[in-house]
Amino acid sequence: MPDVTRRNVLRAGAAGAGAALLPVAWSAVARAGSVAPPQVLAADDLALWYDEPAGTDWLRALPIGNGRLGAMVFGNVDTERLQLNEDTIWAGGPYDSANTRGAANLAEIRRRVFADQWTQAQDLINQTMMGNPGGQLAYQPVGNLRLAFGSASGASQYNRTLDLTTATVTTTYVLNGVRYQRESFASAPDQVIVIRLTADRAGSITFNATFDSPQRTTVSSPDAATIGVDGISGAMEGVNGSVRFLALAHAVATGGTVSSSGGTLRVSGATSVTVLISIGSSYVNFRTVNGDYQGIARTRLNAARGVAFDQLRSRHLADYQALFNRVTIDLGRTAAADQPTDVRIAQHASTNDPQFSALLFQFGRYLLISSSRPGTQPANLQGIWNDSMTPPWDSKYTINANLPMNYWPADTTNLPECFLPVFDMIKDLTVTGARVAQAQYGAGGWVTHHNTDGWRGASVVDGALWGMWQTGGAWLSTLIWEHYLFTGDVGFLSANYPALKGAAQFFLDTLVAHPTLGYLVTNPSNSPELPHHSNASVCAGPTMDNQILRDLFDAVAQAGEVLGVDATFRSQVRTARDRLAPSRVGSRGNVQEWLADWVETERNHRHVSHLYGLHPSNQITKRGTPALYEAARRTLELRGDDGTGWSLAWKINYWARLEDGTRAHKLIRDLVRTDRLAPNMFDLHPPFQIDGNFGATSGIAEMLLHSHTGELHLLPALPSGWPTGQVAGLRGRGGYTVGVRWTSGQADEISVRADRDGTLRLRARLFTGAFTLVDATDDSTPSTTRPDTDVVQLAVRAGHTYRAARPGVTPSPTLSSTPTPTVSPTLSPTPSLTPTPTPTVTSTPSPSGARATYTVTSSWSGGFQGEVTVTAGAAPTRGWTVSWTFPNGQVISQIWSGVHTQSGANVRVTNVDYNGSLPAGGSTTFGFIASTTGANNPPTDITCTTT
Ligand code: FUC
C-alpha cells in the first residue's frame, strides 16, 4: 500500500475551493402527475424517496448507521451495493504529534508577529512548530458488500426510500412478475447491519454475495453460510497502517439453499433471506490497536444470529425511535412534496416547499443519531460515511469550524446522548494536547490546534496559514459547559471539569500582553484560514480567540462555583478574562475580525469566525449589546450570503440569532440547490461535508427557539414561508422542553416543561396580546411578572408543564405529553438476558411507586447482553433510569442510551433517558452488551425508576 499522498488532497481543498473535487452540478426533471408513495405518506413525508436506483453515484446512495457501523445503500436492481464503514478504521496508527524541537523559537515568532512581520513569523512556524508528522491521518472505508442478482432488464415499479421515522432503507421493484423488497437498517442494540430480502412468489430470491475493498484484505468463507473480509488500514504520513478489521456477512434463508466457498456466498431459490453484517476493529483507543477484532465481529454476529428478524427490527425501532421521536416538526405541506427528493432539491428555488425544511431538519437529526452514539467516535467531516482511502480533508475532525457545528443541534434538538462521543474525544485530547502544550509551548494544561484525527493529533498541521490556531481545545471545552446548561447534570460537569480547567490553564500560561494595547492575547494564532494581508493569516489576539477565551474562562469559573472547587484558580481566570480585548466595531460598521481594523483579503471568505460571539456564543445579542449586534448584521452584509455548504449553514444560524427569519429562510433556500445539496441530501462544500447538514438542522431550531440569553424566546425568526406550523420537543438551556404551535405567523399555544425548579422567562409576541397561562400539571395559575412587553416571568417546578395560549385555543395533545409522575413502569415481562443458558430471575418485578426491582442470578460467560423494556401504564410517562449492577470482571463493550461506571468491585450500567416520553401503553427498550473475563458473574439488582 503506497503512502497516501495526503498533501495532494490538501492542495485540492486547503483553500476551500476544492476545485479538483467539485462534482458537476446535477439535475432532475419533475415527474408529471407524481404523488408521494404510500409509505412516504405514512411517514408524514419524513422520508427521502426516488424512482431510480443510485447506479454508481455514491451521492445518490442512502446512508444508514448505528453510530459505529455505517453503510451507503445503492438499491440497484441487478447488484445491490452496501459501501461499508466502521468508525475506528483510521489510516496509520498511534503516534505522538508533539514536535520535540521544543518552544525555543516561540519568543522570536511572537516578536515577529508583534513587529507585523507576519510572513516571516509563518516561515519560522513552518520550520519549527509543525507537528510530527506535519499532517494528520485519514478516516478510511472497510469496503463493499455486493449482492449480485443478475439482469435488471424488465424491472418496473421501482422505488427506494430512506424512512427517517424507522431509519430503514427500502427498495422495491417488480421483475418477471415478482415483487421484490429489500429493507436495510443498522441496529445499535444488536450492532449489526441487517438486510432483509423478500419476494411475493416463493423461491424467487437468488444471488451471490461477495466482499471487495480498497484496503489490503483477504476474503474467506468461514462457514457454509458466511463470508468474511479481513484487512488492515492504510499507511499514511509515514505511519504504518495498523487498524485490523474483519467484516462478516451471514445469510439465513427461508426456502432455497445457502452455501459459501472461496469468499462467495450463494443463495438460491429462497423465499426470504436475512443478511447480517458484523464488523470488528482492533482499534481500542487512540493509543491501542490490539483489540480482538475477529472476536468482536464473530461475537456480535453470533449473538444476532440467535435473534429473529422481527425481533432485530423491533429492537432497532425501539432504540432509534426513543431518540428520533423526541422532536416533531410540521411546517406545512404543498404538492412539491409529491415529487421525488432529488426533483424537490432541483426545483426548490422555484417552488414553495415548506415541508422540505422539515425534512432537512429531521435528516440532520437522523444523521446525528446514525453517526454518533455513546461509546462511538464523534461524527467526522463525513459523519461515518466515506468510500475513499484519500477522502477530502482526510474525513477527519476540523475544529476551527466543522466539528463544533456538527454538534450544534445535539442539545437543541433533544439528542444529548449523541453529544457524548465529543466529550470522550476531549478527554483523549487532554492527554495528547498536554504533550504538545509542554513540548511546544512549555506550558501546562493542554492545547489542540485546528484539526484532530482518530489518533488525537493535537499539534500544528498543514502549514501556519491554516494550522496556527491555538483555540481548538478551548472551543471544544466550552461545549462541556454548554451541554451542562441544557442537562444540569452535575456528575457530567464534575467528570469533565479537569478538561475545562486544563484548557484554561494552557492559556493562563501562554497569553502574552500586547506591547501597545496591553490586552492579554494569543500569539501566534489566526482568524481561521483568512489572510489579513497577502499570504499572512498569523496574528495576535484575533477576535474569535478573544471571544472563545471569554467563554472558556467564564465556563471554568462558573463550573468551579457549581462544584465548589478551585477558588484561587477561579479568580485567576476571571482576572485574565478581564484583560482580554473586547469585540469592537470597525470602520466599516462591521465587527472587527482582528485587533487592528484590517480589511480581509477575501471579502466573501467562507469563514465568518469573528461572529462566534453572535453564534454559538451569546456575547453579541440584540438586547444586551445593540451596537455590536448591528455590526454583526453589517458584517454579514459585507461578507455576502454565498459560501460553501457549511458556510451557508453558519449564516442560517447567524440570521436566526439576528431574528431575521426572512434572511435565514433565504439562506436555507441557498443551501437547497444542486450545487450545495446532493441528490441524497448530503450537504456539499462541495465536495460532501456533513457539517452543512448538522448546521442546517441547528439553524432551523434557532429560527424557532432561542435560549442563549437566560430566557426562552419563541419563534424569534419565523419566516413568512412557514405561516402555519408546529414544533415540539426542542430543548432550551436551563433544562426546558418546548413546544409551540402557530398560525398566520403568530403563536397560538406554547408548552414548556421544566426539568428543574427555577425562574422561567418566556419571550413571545403572544404575550403582547390577550393570553392564558396555566400550570398544566396541577391546573393552577402561576403568578407572573412582566419584565418586558413581550416577556412573562414565572417560578416553575421540576416536572411541571406550563401552557400559554391565545384565549379560546384548544390545547393540542401533540405539543407536549402530560407528565404523570405517579405512573409505575413495568419491566416486561422479565429482563431478557442472552445468551443461553437463560439467566434466572429469582424475584419477580415488584413495582412500587415508580420503581421496580429484580434480583437475577445465573451462570454465564463470554458475550453477554441484557435489556429491559419499560412500558408506560395507563397514562404517559416521561423520564426514567434503568440500572444494572454486577460484579467486576466484565468489559462493557456497548451500551445504548446511558453510561457505565465502575465502583469498587462492581460495574454499574445506567441507562438514562431523562428527556424521552412514553405515551400511554408505549414501551421502549434499554440494553447493553458486555463481554466477560470470567464466568458466573450475573447481573444483580436490576432496577427501573421513573421520574
Ligand atoms: C476548513 C474549511 C474548509 C473545509 C475544511 C474541512 O479548512 O476552511 O472549507 O471545510 O475545513
Side-chain angles (χ1 to χ4, degrees), residues 689-708:
Q689 227 175 261
I690 205 162
D691 42 18
N693 290 106
F694 294 135
T697 297
S698 162
I700 291 167
E702 286 291 334
M703 291 165 75
L704 300 170
L705 176 68
H706 286 173
S707 67
H708 59 283

Side-chain angles (χ1 to χ4, degrees), residues 10 13-17 381 392-393 396-402 450-451 462 466 528-529 605-607 644 646 685 689 691:
L10 191 70
L381 284 171
W393 294 285
K396 52 186 193 295
Y397 304 98
T398 305
I399 306 172
N400 66 13
N402 321 84
H450 89 308
N451 265 279
D462 298 351
W466 301 280
E529 308 193 21
H605 197 264
R606 61 197 178 282
H607 287 266
T644 57
W646 67 257
H685 183 292
Q689 227 175 261
D691 42 18

